Amino acid sequence: MDRDAIKTPQVMLSQAQLTNRVAELGAEITRDYAAKDLVLVGVLKGSFMFMADLARAIDLPLRCDFLGLSSYGSSTKSTGVVAFTKDLSGPVEGRDVLIIEDIVDTGLTMAYLLKNLQTRKPASTRIASLLSKPARRQVEIDVDYLGFTIEDRFVVGYGLDFDGLYRNLPYIGTIDDGD
Ligand code: 5GP
């Protein structure tokens, strides 16, 4: 690995900002899902850190499952091509599904996933996304629990990668030059 080529990102959202917002979202979800059969469905890999923190901020009995979707190669622009790389480990029929996503960008991934999950007859389906880039939206997506709206910059950290790297940063940062 050429370590000299790995840039230090510029902080866009600090660890403290993420912690505070995740706590707020957790409290909101706790209020909304009391007496429901909640299952958090994390979209791998980008949502793993957000999901780990959000799950701990929800004070309710819940289940966790994961699926893998891939819409990016190593490039920083969405291709619009979505593929399942891993499916859920169990049925969600009759359960209240809360999809946990890192970022909604064009919305193509989420539109594909919502359509797919609908065929599995959940009692309800909502979306929690840490980030949203509305400037790039191609299909309308209602994000029920949104952490932050951000400008059209490529971001890394807190689960989000560039070419597999940066996922372990405790903050959200940028590595593009802002053009
Ligand atoms: P969409 O289908 O909404 O265009 O893209 C959703 C997926 O693209 C996200 O789950 C994420 O994996 C990837 N993505 C979109 N924008 C960014 C970004 O700024 N940074 C990173 N690391 N991934 C992104």
Side-chain angles (χ1 to χ4, degrees):
M1 190 195 296
D2 179 6
R3 290 181 191 276
D4 293 338
I6 302 173
K7 297 189 215 168
T8 302
Q10 294 248 328
V11 178
M12 180 190 265
L13 296 166
S14 69
Q15 187 169 5
Q17 283 176 289
L18 296 175
T19 304
N20 291 338
R21 188 68 189 122
V22 171
E24 288 173 359
L25 291 177
E28 215 181 308
I29 293 164
T30 302
R31 282 195 297 275
D32 293 352
Y33 283 85
K36 303 254 187 198
D37 190 356
L38 177 59
V39 51
L40 304 183
V41 169
V43 183
L44 294 172
K45 300 174 188 165
S47 73
F48 82 96
M49 208 171 278
F50 175 44
M51 177 145 155
D53 286 343
L54 186 64
R56 281 177 284 189
I58 301 172
D59 188 16
L60 292 172
L62 57 79
R63 292 183 169 82
C64 294
D65 205 344
F66 298 91
L67 51 79
L69 287 177
S70 137
S71 62
Y72 265 78
S74 310
S75 99
T76 56
K77 295 288 171 203
S78 178
T79 58
V81 179
V82 182
F84 262 90
T85 55
K86 180 203 177 303
D87 203 352
L88 292 175
S89 58
V92 291
E93 186 168 351
R95 298 213 157 115
D96 295 286
V97 170
L98 183 57
I99 300 169
I100 313 295
E101 178 62 300
D102 52 358
I103 181 165
V104 180
D105 184 21
T106 63
L108 295 169
T109 305
M110 207 34 73
Y112 175 88
L113 179 57
L114 283 171
K115 209 167 152 199
N116 181 286
L117 285 180
Q118 242 13 77
T119 65
R120 308 178 195 210
K121 302 188 171 50
S124 67
T125 311
R126 286 187 182 175
I127 301 169
S129 181
L130 179 70
L131 304 172
S132 173
K133 274 196 257 186
R136 291 190 19 99
R137 205 71 96 243
Q138 290 181 29
V139 285
E140 207 187 305
I141 297 290
D142 288 327
V143 179
D144 304 280
Y145 304 96
L146 176 62
F148 302 89
T149 297
I150 60 167
E151 57 180 314
D152 184 11
R153 301 280 302 275
F154 188 81
V155 291
V156 296
Y158 199 63
L160 288 105
D161 77 310
F162 173 66
D163 201 12
L165 294 168
Y166 301 105
R167 292 193 198 276
N168 58 324
L169 297 178
Y171 59 89
I172 294 286
T174 52
I175 48 169
D176 59 18
D177 52 15
D179 295 338

